Amino acid sequence: MSSPQRIRTWFRKGERVRYISHLDVLRFWERAIRRAGLPLAYSQGFTPHPKLFFASPLPLGFMAEREVMDVILEERIDPADFHARLAAQATGDLALVGAREVPLGAPQPQAAMLWSDYRAAIPGLDPAFARARVDEFLALPALEWREERGERERTYDLRAATAWLTARPIDGGTELAMRLRTDQHITARPEAILAALVPGFEPQSFVRTGIVLDDRSPARELWRRHGQYL
C-alpha cells in the first residue's frame, strides 16, 4: 500500500504575474503538478480539492521571492525527483526555487507563520531622510496603529509588530526592508510602515522576500527545555 507524503516547496512570483490572484496561482501549480505526472492528493467528497496548502495569500500587485506551498502526495516520491519534475513545468514568472520533505502531520504553513520579510522600492525618497525616520521609528517604545479594511477596524502596536527595519539608497530613491509579524493574532503590512514613516510616498513595488515559519519539532522542543538533544 502506498503511503502519502508532504513536500514543502518555495516559489517565486515575478513582475509579469504580480496582478494575478491567489486562486490563479493555486490553479497554476495544480496543473503544473499534474503535467509533471506527480501523484497529487485530493480531498474527498462531491467537489474534490487539491491538497495544496499555502502561507497567507500574497496581496494583489506584490511580487515574491520565497512563497511557501505544501504539496500532499498520494505516494512517496524522492524530493529531488519531485523538484526536478515540477521545476520543468514551471515558468520564469512562477518558478520553483526549493523543495524538501516535511512530516505529514506538520502544521499547515498559514497556521505556522510567524513573520514575513518585505522589500519596498520608493522612488523620490531621500535616503538620509528615510534613515532618520527609520531610527525614530525604532526608538519608539510603541506605536498604536489603526487600520480600516471594509467595515472592520483594528488597532495594534505597529512597533512591536516590527522585528527589524532598514533603509538603503537605490537609484532614484530608497529601498526599505523589514520583517513584520504575520501570525494568528496580528498581520502587519508593509503599507502601514510606509504610511507611518513617509506618508505621501508611493512605492514602485512591494516584494515579499521570505516567510518565517514556526518549525518546532519534538527534538527541538526537547533541546529548548533541557539545553541539549537527548
Side-chain angles (χ1 to χ4, degrees):
M1 179 181 294
S2 60
S3 59
Q5 181 183 27
R6 180 188 292 253
I7 302 288
R8 177 156 294 165
T9 70
W10 290 265
F11 66 92
R12 67 180 298 271
K13 185 179 182 184
E15 170 72 31
R16 294 197 304 172
V17 294
R18 60 191 289 190
Y19 290 106
I20 70 170
S21 70
H22 175 68
L23 182 58
D24 290 328
V25 172
L26 186 154
R27 288 170 175 162
F28 170 86
W29 286 114
E30 179 188 4
R31 291 166 182 163
I33 292 167
R34 291 169 63 184
R35 288 196 305 270
L38 296 165
L40 177 62
Y42 284 81
S43 63
Q44 303 298 312
F46 292 106
T47 56
H49 297 287
K51 291 189 175 181
L52 302 176
F53 303 105
F54 295 79
S56 66
L58 197 65
L60 206 63
F62 279 46
M63 294 176 284
E65 293 179 352
R66 287 185 64 83
E67 290 297 281
V68 179
M69 174 182 68
D70 280 8
V71 181
I72 307 298
L73 301 176
E74 290 184 332
E75 58 188 60
R76 299 188 61 79
I77 297 288
D78 179 77
D81 184 36
F82 173 95
H83 185 283
R85 290 164 63 178
L86 185 54
Q89 299 299 325
T91 70
D93 297 303
L94 281 167
L96 191 70
V97 297
R100 66 175 174 86
E101 184 175 1
V102 296
L104 191 61
Q108 295 184 16
Q110 188 164 16
M113 287 184 71
L114 297 176
W115 304 89
S116 292
D117 297 344
Y118 296 97
R119 190 171 66 236
I122 310 168
L125 177 60
D126 177 66
F129 174 73
R131 282 194 293 268
R133 293 292 293 133
V134 166
D135 290 343
E136 293 171 6
F137 175 83
L138 295 177
L140 294 172
L143 178 60
E144 184 179 275
W145 192 255
R146 181 175 300 164
E147 290 182 349
E148 294 182 4
R149 305 186 70 83
E151 297 181 352
R152 298 178 59 186
E153 181 179 291
R154 63 173 184 151
T155 301
Y156 64 96
D157 184 350
L158 182 59
R159 175 62 191 89
T162 306
W164 50 259
L165 175 64
T166 64
R168 73 175 187 89
I170 57 174
D171 187 24
T174 299
E175 180 183 271
L176 294 178
M178 64 203 78
R179 172 167 289 179
L180 303 179
R181 188 172 170 185
T182 320
D183 60 21
Q184 299 297 301
H185 305 288
I186 295 176
T187 297
R189 303 178 184 275
E191 301 97 318
I193 292 292
L194 267 65
L197 265 66
V198 288
F201 282 89
E202 293 293 330
Q204 180 180 4
S205 63
F206 281 120
V207 181
R208 184 151 68 182
T209 56
I211 294 171
V212 179
L213 300 178
D214 185 352
D215 61 351
R216 284 178 291 184
S217 69
R220 189 169 287 108
E221 287 302 298
L222 194 62
W223 183 88
R224 286 171 175 160
R225 289 196 299 269
H226 300 285
Q228 60 182 346
Y229 290 105
L230 299 178

